Amino acid sequence: MDLVGELAVLAGTGRLGALHYGAALGDLAAVYGEPGAGGRVYSQERWPRWFGYGSIQLAVCRCRRVDSMIVPAWHRELEIPGPAGPRTVDSRITESHLTAALVGAGCRWGTVEYPGLPDQRSLVTEPAEDVRVSFTFTDRESYDSPPLADLILDKVNVWGLSHRECPAPDPHLPDGDDGVRPPSRT
């Protein structure tokens, strides 16, 4: 399946392979191996922390669950994880190409336009209760390029609304532990 097809599945299910809002970091490590660690999301807070698989960026809460996910399409080439290993894909996807894939998948979406940003808009889906997927498009590939007739994908965000209060973390994991590997029981 090409990236456009995978994004249509993401729009309808909230999942990109095993990656999704609420996924346990340990479960993702069992599928994809250990993630890359990117440090703290907020410099003054120990959690949430950034982790990643290829180009996919995950904000992970102290309970070791994915709180949000970013697909940085602005890179124009992405490394997408898979059980057989990562693969590199072209992320230059136009709005008309994605909307055709969404229609083909039977997916419904809403459009969000930004009054102060006439050069971009987002398509938003609600694949599950309290889960949102947002596809943000811009009218140019770079700041100095001319406007495009068909907007191009800039980023994809996946987030949820249900994780207001973080459950207590596993007491066997120290607060500084990334939670990827189970603690040793010696």
Side-chain angles (χ1 to χ4, degrees):
M1 181 181 307
D2 66 353
L3 182 59
V4 173
E6 289 179 278
L7 293 178
V9 169
L10 175 64
T13 66
R15 294 175 169 269
L16 185 62
L19 302 170
H20 63 92
Y21 169 75
L25 193 56
D27 292 346
L28 295 176
V31 174
Y32 300 122
E34 289 192 35
R40 297 173 179 185
V41 172
Y42 309 109
S43 62
Q44 302 300 317
E45 304 288 332
R46 294 184 80 162
W47 292 93
R49 293 187 182 173
W50 289 112
F51 290 90
Y53 283 102
S55 300
I56 311 302
Q57 302 167 359
L58 307 171
V60 176
C61 190
R62 72 182 173 103
C63 66
R64 304 340 188 253
R65 295 206 171 267
V66 173
D67 194 44
S68 65
M69 178 169 65
I70 298 171
V71 180
W74 66 81
H75 290 301
R76 304 300 177 228
E77 187 174 89
L78 298 173
E79 186 176 285
I80 303 292
R87 68 187 197 293
T88 301
V89 297
D90 183 352
S91 63
R92 291 177 298 172
I93 297 170
T94 63
E95 184 178 35
S96 63
H97 197 187
L98 182 64
T99 56
L102 295 177
V103 167
C107 193
R108 296 171 34 137
W109 69 90
T111 302
V112 178
E113 297 197 1
Y114 307 97
L117 300 169
D119 58 345
Q120 72 178 22
R121 70 175 152 259
S122 296
L123 306 180
V124 181
T125 68
E126 187 176 334
E129 186 175 343
D130 292 335
V131 176
R132 304 292 185 275
V133 179
S134 174
F135 300 90
T136 301
F137 292 87
T138 62
D139 73 349
R140 58 194 76 220
E141 288 198 54
S142 67
Y143 291 111
D144 57 351
S145 64
L148 301 166
D150 195 1
L151 276 67
I152 191 160
L153 185 63
D154 188 63
K155 67 180 172 183
V156 181
N157 290 333
V158 180
W159 74 98
L161 307 172
S162 64
H163 196 80
R164 303 275 188 239
E165 293 293 323
C166 181
D170 181 337
H172 298 100
L173 294 174
D175 189 46
D177 192 324
D178 62 17
V180 175
R181 292 175 300 282
S184 68
R185 308 241 193 248
T186 57

